[in-house]
Amino acid sequence: ADEFCLNPSKCFVRKRKLSFETVIRGIIGMESKSLTNELIDMFDSSPEMTSASAFVQQRSKIKPDAFKTIFESFTSKITTKKSDTLRILAVDGSDVQIATNPGDSTSYHPGSNGQKPYNLLHLNALYDLEHHIYTDAVIQGHLNWNEHSALQEMVDKSDISKALVVADRGYESYNNMAHIQEKGWYFLIRIKDGKNGIKQGLDLPDSDEFEYLPLKSKKNDPAVFYELNFRIVRFKVTDELYETVLTNLDKDVYPPEKLRELYASRWGIETSFRDLKYTVGMLDFHSKKVMCIHQEIYAHLIMYNFAEMITSHIVIEKKQRKYTYKANFSIAAHMCRLFYRGKATSPNLETIIARHIIPVRNDRHRKRNLTIKVFHGFLYRVA
């Protein structure tokens, strides 16, 4: 524990109710209640429970790296795929609004045109689309966030031997492609469909749909410094919508139709962000300190992966139904928290999760909500 304490010679040296392990376990199990109510649950409504002030003092001694290390260790243990199997990883980022804090220059926005000041963090994540878990995450302040550097960091340090990274247009970059190629991985990146971006300067076929393998990096510039192998594919999504992707996947094994399916699966990371924020509770924090908020973000990632890991092993009984069914993640996450706290047994956990199911509608499309997520302050939690 010493390596994760801000002051190892003084932190957690005396025996107290709130030991290092107790604080860690408590934060990982937090929901969206007030801190006092979280402590009541943590101490099973015992009158011997500690005060909120004491908890805040103890948690302030722990580095966020403690939670990041737990997240990484736990994640590596629950994925047991063979090393030669291709992992499909989606990459994306999501803003996280936190309490307004002018003292944090990396995330503070003073506001403009009458807008109130606010603070934003940016969560960058790699998400396993088959296992439905986060494999890595990088948290950045919104004023110095860089999704390209975050992706490169996650790729470079990953211990996954073989993977495909599926990315949206914001990740269109030769440097990103080079990092993935150097790793021995594959990429499938949606690029700008107009004249700007990587497509500019390439002699592309003059047709609505095409497959193109460039021999040069630019129209008049042979790739003499670094060789990138990729092809550009444009395919129809709807009657009026086309998308363009670039990839280094083998063209015989992954024809355009297969690429379209793979890119469509990227939507899984979008829905995971929604569950992470609204179901697991990554909109409601129990501190205004950025360090403590980092603790809770990694704690929520741990709980999300824990709930998905358990849910994936629940057998949903097949019946003659119109749709394929899956577990209701909202119910599953709640039951997994109870199980984590020792308040539910394994048989009851599995029975309740298997009983609460929802249909899978893969062909359902909804408009993306582009409105900013509002930070939930502390006063709303009056219960």
Side-chain angles (χ1 to χ4, degrees), residues 135-176:
T135 63
D136 201 358
V138 173
I139 305 169
Q140 299 171 324
H142 200 269
L143 289 188
N144 61 1
W145 67 285
N146 187 320
E147 290 188 326
H148 296 287
S149 66
L151 170 60
Q152 293 158 22
E153 177 184 338
M154 291 187 289
V155 169
D156 291 348
K157 73 186 182 93
S158 176
D159 60 358
I160 299 173
S161 61
K162 190 177 180 182
L164 164 66
V165 176
V166 185
D168 207 352
R169 287 176 296 187
Y171 296 91
E172 178 179 345
S173 160
Y174 285 116
N175 199 13
N176 288 342

Side-chain angles (χ1 to χ4, degrees), residues 274-282 329-331 333-334 337:
R274 181 188 62 200
D275 289 335
L276 185 64
K277 290 181 176 181
Y278 293 98
T279 302
V280 179
M282 206 184 68
F329 186 72
S330 179
I331 301 296
H334 178 67
R337 267 205 177 102

Side-chain angles (χ1 to χ4, degrees), residues 5-137:
C5 294
L6 292 177
N7 190 341
S9 63
K10 295 182 179 180
C11 298
F12 300 100
V13 293
R14 291 189 294 172
K15 187 175 181 180
R16 297 189 179 187
K17 294 178 184 177
L18 291 171
S19 64
F20 178 85
E21 292 79 7
T22 301
V23 176
I24 293 285
R25 288 181 59 87
I27 293 175
I28 292 175
M30 279 183 171
E31 300 182 65
S32 298
K33 303 175 183 177
S34 68
L35 181 54
T36 299
N37 283 349
E38 299 282 8
L39 290 170
I40 290 173
D41 290 344
M42 194 186 307
F43 284 87
D44 296 327
S45 305
S46 169
E48 301 300 319
M49 63 172 277
T50 187
S51 67
S53 176
F55 185 85
V56 170
Q57 292 179 45
Q58 291 297 87
R59 74 175 298 180
S60 298
K61 301 174 183 178
I62 302 175
K63 299 176 183 178
D65 287 348
F67 295 86
K68 182 173 176 60
T69 300
I70 295 171
F71 162 70
E72 292 174 344
S73 176
F74 176 62
T75 300
S76 66
K77 290 180 180 178
I78 61 177
T79 53
T80 56
K81 261 197 169 184
K82 296 180 180 179
S83 59
D84 61 344
T85 305
L86 186 68
R87 299 271 293 276
I88 313 297
L89 307 177
V91 61
D92 209 345
S94 182
D95 287 339
V96 180
Q97 189 167 355
I98 61 177
T100 304
N101 178 12
D104 181 34
S105 60
T106 65
S107 64
Y108 179 71
H109 290 252
S112 58
N113 299 323
Q115 186 182 35
K116 292 183 179 180
Y118 60 95
N119 286 65
L120 281 181
L121 296 178
H122 193 74
L123 175 65
N124 305 274
L126 276 178
Y127 185 78
D128 189 314
L129 291 167
E130 181 179 351
H131 288 91
H132 306 290
I133 61 170
Y134 291 95
T135 63
D136 201 358

